[in-house]
């Protein structure tokens, strides 16, 4: 079939050859960008529209092939066009004007009066994900030029022998005579017939030979329209038309229950500061939230430049370690995504994170934050501009580098926004205002004489002055602290603080419980604490008081188990039994491994390992001897974990690896001197077939596995304590590590090139391997269904179906799923025994239904 430029034969014959240019792009790069980064064809169209936006266009017209025999895509805009020199630079990827803009880090990336979305200068290559030939017709400086580049021209060539492209041109008046008929056929507007000065320059991009499978599904208007609508900032200054109809922002036909504009609500600013302070305790590895310096969480009101020069600045909050965040969030009375749109994988709710106006979390409305309450999440929408993420944007510009601190801080900000609005919406929907400050007023009315005595007992225990205004000055609040204590009295703020980290409170804070449930339980727990204060003030024996406290704590933990997920249940069980001795701790470890979907046999006894774990896939079996070491951390001796005995157990039971499991505190016991590591850690570092795992790391695995199961490769590497970076060297484990010695967690710092982690950092090792897994349940189902469908179509008698054919399924293309995700999901499925994948990752087989596989992948609780 002739290309567009060949059909413009008369234009070429009558025009002048303005320039012959080198195409400075490697075919491997072209193929990678077009086929991997832009596997979803609509993403390629989106890139062409983004180029129009960056060029300062006021109008952009997209025409897709809709009739039989059509195989061309057109994108026409009136932005700044290209002259001969600029067309020459168009195909020199290393010399992109956008990359030039990005060189000066102190200057904002602004051109044509707009914040530039493009950053890497490779967006044009996305067109080859749709078709095989790309033509540009550009009108500028009273001259119209055209240039065509075909994928086949580049194939087999490199930078040493670059292919050529020819730029032809003629003056505008003559060009119109030759182009007029060409513009009429696809129904394009004629730029030279438009009124005003907006069309003095224009550019037409034409993609030829659009692939048949893309023609059938990929460019349908009902899918393309919502993608473009949400991808870029549509406004009165930038209008986009698809097949003659303007794409407008979708209006939400529902009443707003609760709304928030960042930078304009002091209550939220204080709420966010409190959340960030608690979060930085973990992010910065501080011993407590009180040690977090104020500069890590002190947010202030700021402004962000508008997307365009004429737009007003956006008011927002400056968040430490992240920068300015502007935008708003709303909770509506009705759900925002209709079932019909949900079926098309269109979501009108969730977080929409923009950088310079470009949406960067398409397909991930949660932005990797924890799953939310459907009741409120389905009614929630947040549009946020976060320019500080610009440096963390990955090449495809629709996701960010998750390894950066900014990504972690962003998720805390997002959770804080949702939780703040959810609480406000709950109060309004339930028509009940909660006033914790009224607690003591109500209590003293019911118990006027005993309430002051109870408060006096708490004050005496803390050794602080009685509140100057009595019980009227005391409040009830919710705060995170590390201990297992349900509640405590803070003498400085005169507040009874309820522990948000306690298992009962975290369970009540899950999606199915109204806000009032937490408040009611909070007041009941405050009453329990006051009863302890009353006993203490009236001289009850400390031994009896401790017994009363223990009963209350155990009752609360028992109640929490009625509400907990399997992961929470096992985590609580591990933390409780590790100090009770080896036998109960052994059973807790075995149950936790069963919940991970592993094949576990419990042995115990002096001549056997505590348990043996089998991790299997076709042709491979990785066997682990487990030693669970519980007990009083002050009395536990590392000699109990004998290296010789572990090796003997592993050999007797044909295990390739031994792992010692205990608490972080036990592993941090000193060696012979204060600064030395224990002998166990020293020997673990010397023996590749011996490793350790803390209960914190195991609990992290349980939480991760509940969201998306680990596969064989991830589990094997975690048990072997291998770094997820580079060639996966085995890590060196230390009691503690001087953080000044290295910047990144897995930086190689030993002479033999091994990274060094502290015992406390082992949970981050499990996270790093898990983050390599596809974490979207919908994606897992799509892959399994596509694999099952492909297997049904397989007609090979002697061979199994090939994994490579799954990539071609429409649903896989639709969701922009990559090959690593497909192999990882099939590996996880194979771990259940209901599927098979060969060692080289080329062939597979599905044995059961998708629902059965996904059910088993989710793990089960041991009885």
């Amino acid at each position: 079939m002739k290309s567009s430029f060949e059909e413009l034969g008369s234009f070429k014959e009558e025009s002048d050859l303005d320039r012959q240019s080198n195409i400075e792009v490697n075919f491997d790069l072209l193929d990678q960008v077009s086929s991997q980064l832009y596997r979803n064809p609509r993403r390629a169209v989106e890139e062409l529209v983004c180029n129009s936006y960056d060029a300062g266009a006021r109008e952009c017209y997209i025409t897709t092939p809709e009739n039989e025999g059509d195989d061309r895509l057109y994108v026409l805009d009136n932005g700044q066009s290209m002259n001969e020199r600029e067309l020459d630079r168009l195909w020199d990827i290393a010399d992109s004007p956008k990359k030039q803009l990005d060189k000066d880090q102190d200057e904002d990336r602004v051109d044509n009066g707009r914040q530039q979305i493009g950053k890497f200068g490779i967006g044009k290559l996305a067109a080859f994900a749709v078709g095989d030939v790309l033509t540009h017709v550009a009108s500028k400086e009273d001259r119209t030029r055209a240039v065509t580049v075909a994928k086949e021209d580049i194939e087999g060539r490199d930078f040493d022998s670059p292919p050529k492209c020819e730029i032809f041109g003629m003056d505008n008046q003559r060009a119109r005579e030759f182009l007029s008929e060409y513009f009429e056929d696809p129904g394009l507007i004629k730029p030279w017939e438009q009124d005003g000065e907006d069309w003095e320059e224009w550019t037409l991009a034409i993609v030829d030979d659009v692939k048949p499978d893309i023609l059938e599904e990929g460019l349908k208007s009902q899918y393309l329209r919502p993608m473009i609508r949400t991808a870029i900032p549509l406004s009165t200054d930038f209008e986009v038309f698809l097949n003659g109809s303007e794409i407008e922002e979708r209006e939400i036909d529902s009443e707003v229950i609760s709304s928030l504009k960042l930078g304009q609500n002091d209550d939220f600013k204080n709420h966010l500061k409190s959340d960030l302070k608690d979060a930085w305790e973990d992010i910065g590895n501080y011993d407590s939230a009180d040690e977090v310096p104020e500069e890590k969480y002190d947010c202030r009101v700021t402004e962000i430049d508008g997307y365009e020069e004429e737009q007003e600045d956006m008011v927002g909050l400056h968040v430490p370690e992240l920068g300015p965040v502007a935008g708003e969030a709303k909770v509506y009375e009705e759900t925002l995504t209709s079932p019909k749109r949900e079926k098309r994988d269109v979501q009108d709710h969730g977080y929409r994170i923009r950088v310079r106006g470009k949406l960067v979390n398409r397909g991930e409305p949660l932005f990797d934050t924890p799953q939310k309450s459907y009741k409120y999440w389905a009614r929630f929408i947040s549009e946020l501009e976060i320019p500080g993420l610009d440096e963390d944007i990955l090449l495809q510009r629709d996701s960010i580098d998750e390894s950066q601190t900014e990504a972690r801080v962003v998720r805390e900000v997002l959770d804080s926004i949702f939780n703040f609005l959810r609480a406000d919406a709950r109060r309004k929907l339930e028509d009940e205002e909660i006033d914790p400050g009224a607690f003591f007023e109500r209590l003293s009315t019911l118990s006027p004489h005993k309430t002051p005595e109870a408060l006096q007992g708490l004050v005496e225990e803390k050794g602080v002055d009685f509140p100057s205004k009595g019980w009227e000055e005391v409040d009830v609040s919710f705060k995170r602290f590390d201990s297992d204590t349900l509640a405590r009295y803070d003498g400085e703020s005169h507040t009874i603080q309820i522990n948000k980290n306690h298992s009962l409170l975290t369970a009540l804070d899950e999606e199915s419980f109204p806000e009032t449930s937490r408040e009611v339980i909070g007041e009941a727990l405050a009453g329990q604490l006051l009863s302890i204060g009353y006993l203490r003030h009236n001289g009850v024996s400390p031994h009896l008081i401790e017994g009363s406290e223990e009963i209350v704590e155990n009752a609360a933990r028992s109640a929490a188990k009625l509400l907990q997920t399997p992961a929470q249940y096992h985590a609580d069980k591990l933390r409780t039994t590790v100090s009770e001795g080896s036998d109960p701790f052994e059973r807790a470890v075995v149950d936790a491994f069963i919940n991970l979907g592993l094949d576990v046999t419990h042995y115990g006894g002096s001549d056997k390992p505590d348990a043996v774990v089998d991790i299997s896939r076709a042709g491979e079996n990785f066997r682990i001897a487990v030693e669970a070491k519980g007990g009083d951390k002050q009395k536990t001796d590392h000699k109990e974990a004998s290296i010789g005995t572990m090796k003997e157990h592993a050999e007797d039971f044909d295990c390739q690896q031994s792992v010692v499991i205990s608490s972080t505190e036990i592993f941090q016991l000193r060696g012979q001197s204060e600064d030395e590591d224990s002998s166990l850690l020293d020997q673990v570092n010397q023996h590749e077939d011996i490793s350790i795992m803390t209960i914190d790391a195991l609990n992290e695995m349980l939480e991760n596995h509940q969201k998306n199961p680990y596969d064989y490769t991830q589990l094997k590497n975690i048990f072997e304590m291998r770094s997820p970076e580079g060639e996966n060297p085995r890590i060196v484990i230390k009691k503690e590590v001087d953080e000044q010695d290295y910047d990144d967690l897995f930086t190689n710092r030993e002479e033999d090139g091994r990274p060094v982690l502290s015992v406390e950092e082992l949970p981050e090792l499990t996270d790093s391997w898990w983050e390599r897994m596809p974490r979207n349940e919908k994606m897992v189902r799509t892959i399994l269904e596509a694999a099952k469908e492909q297997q049904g179509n397989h007609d090979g008698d002697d061979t199994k179906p090939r994994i490579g054919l799954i990539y071609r399924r429409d649903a896989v293309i639709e969701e922009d799923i990559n090959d690593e995700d497909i192999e990882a999901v099939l590996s996880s499925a194979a771990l259940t025994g209901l599927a098979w994948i060969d060692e080289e990752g080329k062939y597979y087989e599905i044995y059961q239904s998708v629902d059965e596989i996904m059910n088993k992948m989710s793990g089960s609780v041991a009885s």
Side-chain angles (χ1 to χ4, degrees):
M1 176 176 286
K2 292 183 179 179
S3 70
S4 295
F5 196 60
E6 288 174 319
E7 287 200 351
L8 290 170
S10 56
F11 178 90
K12 179 178 178 181
E13 290 173 2
E14 297 297 327
S15 61
D16 301 320
L17 177 60
D18 285 0
R19 180 176 295 203
Q20 189 177 60
S21 303
N22 290 336
I23 302 174
E24 301 288 353
V25 57
N26 181 275
F27 180 77
D28 290 337
L29 172 63
L30 172 63
D31 187 58
Q32 181 183 20
V33 169
S34 62
S35 65
Q36 296 183 35
L37 294 184
Y38 300 103
R39 293 187 63 170
N40 186 329
R42 291 188 292 280
R43 287 284 325 286
V45 179
E46 177 190 315
E47 285 296 337
L48 294 174
V49 177
C50 285
N51 286 342
S52 298
Y53 178 86
D54 282 349
R58 301 302 176 193
E59 297 173 50
C60 176
Y61 293 84
I62 307 164
T63 303
T64 61
E66 294 190 311
N67 300 319
E68 188 174 350
D70 291 346
D71 67 345
R72 289 199 186 111
L73 166 73
Y74 302 85
V75 179
L76 171 67
D77 71 68
N78 61 353
Q80 179 178 316
S81 191
M82 294 170 282
N83 57 25
E84 174 191 333
R85 179 178 55 83
E86 290 161 333
L87 282 171
D88 180 51
R89 292 181 65 189
L90 180 67
W91 289 104
D92 187 351
I93 302 302
D95 192 30
S96 165
K98 293 180 181 180
K99 295 183 73 173
Q100 295 296 321
L101 281 173
D102 202 41
K103 279 186 176 180
D104 191 344
Q105 299 295 325
D106 296 328
E107 295 293 330
D108 212 354
R109 205 167 67 245
V110 177
D111 198 14
N112 300 315
R114 285 185 179 146
Q115 297 273 352
Q116 294 291 284
I117 292 175
K119 180 178 181 181
F120 302 103
I122 64 169
K124 65 184 77 66
L125 302 183
F128 291 106
V130 177
D132 293 330
V133 184
L134 176 60
T135 296
H136 283 91
V137 182
S139 179
K140 183 175 183 176
E141 298 169 355
D142 199 32
R143 191 166 180 82
T144 300
R145 299 174 177 85
V147 58
T148 294
V149 173
K151 194 172 182 179
E152 64 180 10
D153 294 336
I154 304 173
E155 190 169 4
R157 308 293 288 273
D158 54 33
F159 291 116
D160 294 329
S161 59
K164 306 288 184 180
C165 63
E166 296 176 325
I167 303 172
F168 291 89
M170 65 173 64
D171 66 73
N172 283 347
Q173 191 60 43
R174 290 185 63 216
R176 291 167 187 170
E177 299 174 14
F178 295 102
L179 295 176
S180 182
E181 182 178 345
Y182 186 76
F183 272 70
E184 288 175 357
D185 288 343
L188 294 169
I189 68 165
K190 296 177 181 177
W192 51 88
E193 294 181 356
Q194 305 308 303
D195 296 329
E197 299 178 355
D198 285 347
W199 287 88
E200 288 186 354
E201 296 185 18
W202 54 267
T203 305
L204 173 64
I206 312 152
V207 182
D208 276 291
D209 296 346
V210 176
K211 299 162 187 175
D213 55 338
I214 294 175
L215 286 172
E216 292 177 8
E217 290 289 339
L219 298 182
K220 283 188 174 180
S221 294
Q222 64 263 39
Y223 299 123
L224 191 54
R225 188 175 295 274
M227 172 173 272
I228 294 172
R229 179 190 294 121
T230 57
I232 51 181
L234 298 176
S235 65
T236 54
D237 291 324
F238 185 58
E239 300 173 316
V240 181
F241 298 81
L242 176 60
N243 296 326
S245 175
E246 184 177 359
I247 298 176
E248 297 178 313
E249 293 192 52
R250 180 172 176 263
E251 294 184 3
I252 299 176
D253 186 21
S254 179
E255 183 179 344
V256 176
I257 298 174
S258 183
S259 64
L260 168 68
K261 290 187 177 180
L262 271 67
Q264 300 182 35
N265 187 310
D266 287 340
D267 288 339
F268 172 71
K269 183 175 72 170
N270 294 330
H271 174 83
L272 177 60
K273 288 168 66 174
S274 177
D275 283 349
L276 287 173
K277 183 179 180 180
D278 292 338
W280 269 102
E281 178 184 351
D282 181 44
I283 297 173
N285 293 318
Y286 295 98
D287 291 336
S288 69
D290 292 335
E291 292 188 7
V292 178
E294 188 175 6
E295 61 264 23
K296 292 291 186 183
Y297 59 86
D298 187 25
C299 303
R300 55 181 171 80
V301 177
T302 188
E303 291 185 345
I304 304 177
D305 292 339
Y307 299 138
E308 301 182 0
E309 289 182 345
E310 298 175 0
Q311 283 185 329
E312 294 183 1
D313 291 345
M314 295 177 279
V315 178
L317 289 175
H318 185 277
V319 178
E321 303 293 334
L322 178 61
V325 181
E328 61 181 327
K330 296 177 181 178
V331 175
Y332 288 84
E333 192 173 58
E334 299 175 1
T335 56
L336 300 179
T337 306
S338 67
K340 184 177 180 181
R341 292 171 66 78
E342 190 108 44
K343 190 174 181 180
R344 292 181 186 168
D345 197 25
V346 176
Q347 291 183 309
D348 298 312
H349 62 278
Y351 302 118
R352 291 180 182 170
I353 314 301
R354 299 183 182 277
V355 176
R356 299 174 174 270
K358 173 72 165 61
L359 188 71
V360 298
N361 66 317
R362 177 177 307 288
E364 189 60 47
L366 278 166
F367 205 64
D368 205 26
T369 60
Q371 192 68 39
K372 306 292 190 295
S373 160
Y374 180 80
K375 177 179 179 181
Y376 294 97
W377 179 245
R379 308 174 183 187
F380 171 85
I381 182 70
S382 177
E383 296 268 4
L384 301 174
E385 169 66 28
I386 311 179
L389 293 178
D390 190 44
E391 292 301 313
D392 302 321
I393 293 179
L394 301 179
L395 198 60
Q396 60 269 44
R397 299 215 315 266
D398 67 347
S399 58
I400 67 169
D401 185 351
E402 293 291 336
S403 67
Q404 301 302 312
T405 301
E406 289 89 339
R408 184 85 178 271
V409 176
V410 164
R411 288 193 284 272
E412 297 297 337
V413 172
L414 298 182
D415 270 343
S416 190
I417 291 172
F418 175 75
N419 290 333
F420 181 83
L421 275 187
R422 178 183 61 175
D424 186 56
R426 274 175 168 168
R427 286 192 290 267
K428 292 175 179 176
L429 285 173
E430 296 165 11
D431 196 26
E432 180 171 351
E433 292 290 339
I434 304 299
D435 182 13
F439 167 66
F440 270 88
E441 183 178 350
R442 295 194 302 273
L443 183 61
S444 61
T445 300
L446 297 171
S447 187
H449 303 296
K450 295 183 176 61
T451 298
E453 292 184 30
L455 182 57
Q456 182 65 46
L458 298 182
V459 169
E460 291 169 353
E461 195 264 339
K462 289 292 182 182
V464 296
D465 294 333
F466 194 84
S468 59
K469 296 181 181 179
W471 49 260
E472 293 181 352
E473 193 175 336
V474 181
D475 202 351
V476 177
S477 68
F478 292 84
K479 185 177 177 63
R480 290 187 177 92
F481 41 95
D482 287 335
S483 71
D484 290 333
T485 305
L486 274 165
R488 68 186 182 188
Y489 178 73
D490 182 64
E492 184 177 341
S493 63
H494 297 302
T495 303
I496 291 182
Q497 297 174 342
I498 310 301
N499 188 1
K500 292 168 68 175
N501 277 346
H502 193 280
S503 56
L504 178 59
L505 271 295
T506 56
L508 284 169
D509 203 29
E510 292 299 317
E511 54 197 57
S512 57
F513 292 90
E515 187 75 12
T516 49
S517 295
R518 194 180 71 159
E519 302 293 342
V520 168
I521 295 297
E523 290 201 1
L525 296 177
Q528 291 282 2
L529 183 65
L530 283 166
S531 68
I532 298 298
Y534 180 78
L535 296 176
R536 182 176 287 112
H537 178 70
N538 285 281
V540 174
S541 164
H543 174 71
L544 295 177
I545 291 176
E546 289 177 7
S548 299
E549 289 176 325
E550 182 178 339
I551 291 171
V552 172
E553 292 288 345
N554 288 337
R557 277 195 287 268
S558 176
K561 290 177 182 179
L562 300 174
L563 309 169
Q564 288 173 319
T565 64
Q568 291 169 332
Y569 168 80
H570 288 291
D572 191 53
K573 193 173 180 182
L574 287 166
R575 292 192 189 99
T576 303
T577 58
V578 70
S579 59
E580 294 179 359
S582 291
D583 288 344
F585 184 53
E586 281 177 24
R587 290 192 293 272
V589 169
V590 168
D591 287 349
F593 281 141
I594 291 173
N595 189 250
L596 285 172
L598 303 178
D599 184 3
V600 188
T601 304
H602 186 189
Y603 291 105
S606 59
D607 59 341
K608 298 181 180 68
D610 294 331
V612 171
V613 175
D614 284 284
I615 309 174
S616 303
R617 70 177 179 187
E620 290 185 72
N621 184 65
F622 185 62
R623 207 155 205 244
I624 307 160
V626 178
E627 304 290 342
K629 297 300 175 185
D632 188 334
K633 66 182 180 183
Q634 300 300 327
K635 298 178 181 178
T636 300
D637 188 340
H638 282 299
K639 292 181 180 178
E640 290 181 6
S642 165
I643 297 294
T645 300
M646 284 191 285
K647 283 183 170 289
E648 183 179 332
H649 288 169
E651 183 177 352
D652 290 345
F653 286 80
D654 296 323
C655 297
Q656 293 93 354
Q657 190 77 19
S658 294
V659 60
V660 185
I661 301 177
S662 192
S663 66
T664 300
E665 292 80 6
I666 288 179
F667 284 129
Q668 286 179 319
L669 289 175
R670 305 287 179 180
Q672 294 183 352
S673 68
E674 183 71 12
D675 297 327
E676 287 184 359
D677 287 326
S678 68
S679 59
L680 173 63
L681 294 187
D682 284 338
Q683 293 201 50
V684 165
N685 293 328
Q686 296 172 26
H687 297 272
E688 289 214 6
D689 55 354
I690 306 286
S691 57
I692 68 169
M693 177 176 287
T694 63
I695 60 172
D696 290 335
L698 183 51
N699 288 340
E700 195 73 12
M701 290 178 71
L702 290 165
E703 287 289 342
N704 290 340
H705 183 80
Q706 181 174 284
K707 302 172 193 173
N708 188 31
Y710 288 94
D711 69 9
Y712 174 91
T713 301
Q714 319 302 324
L715 289 169
K716 184 173 183 290
N717 280 301
I718 289 170
F719 281 112
E720 289 182 333
M721 295 200 313
R722 295 201 174 276
S723 163
E725 305 297 333
E727 299 297 321
N728 308 132
R730 192 166 190 269
I731 65 171
V732 174
I733 192 74
K734 297 288 187 182
K735 167 175 54 64
E736 55 192 23
V737 175
D738 185 354
E739 294 184 2
Q740 295 180 350
D741 287 349
Y742 66 107
D743 298 323
D744 298 321
L745 188 64
F746 297 102
T747 301
N748 294 338
R749 296 186 295 129
E750 292 283 280
E751 291 182 2
D752 59 358
R754 293 166 65 186
V756 181
L757 269 68
S758 70
V759 171
E760 289 182 334
E761 290 171 325
L762 281 174
E764 298 182 55
L765 175 66
T766 69
D767 277 344
S768 296
W769 278 108
W770 179 77
E771 284 170 359
R772 296 191 167 205
M773 299 284 296
R775 282 165 282 170
N776 185 314
E777 183 178 340
K778 183 176 184 296
M779 180 196 294
V780 174
R781 178 172 289 278
T782 297
I783 291 171
L784 291 176
E785 288 178 345
K788 187 80 171 175
E789 183 179 353
Q790 181 61 42
Q791 180 174 304
N793 295 336
H794 179 65
D795 57 3
D797 296 329
D798 301 324
T799 62
K800 306 292 186 184
R802 292 181 64 90
I803 291 178
L805 296 176
I806 300 174
Y807 307 149
R808 303 180 186 177
R809 309 304 302 180
D810 291 343
V812 173
I813 295 173
E814 184 77 23
E815 292 187 30
D816 202 14
I817 298 172
N818 61 44
D819 50 356
E820 290 88 356
D821 288 339
I822 293 174
E823 186 171 344
V825 168
L826 291 178
S827 294
S828 293
L831 201 59
T832 69
L834 304 182
W836 169 86
I837 182 174
D838 77 319
E839 294 180 36
E840 297 181 359
K842 292 183 178 180
Y843 301 95
Y844 74 95
E845 192 166 11
I846 304 290
Y847 301 137
Q848 293 291 347
S849 71
V850 171
D851 286 337
E852 289 180 50
I853 294 174
M854 292 192 68
N855 184 54
K856 192 164 184 182
M857 285 172 72
S858 66
S860 58
V861 184
S863 59

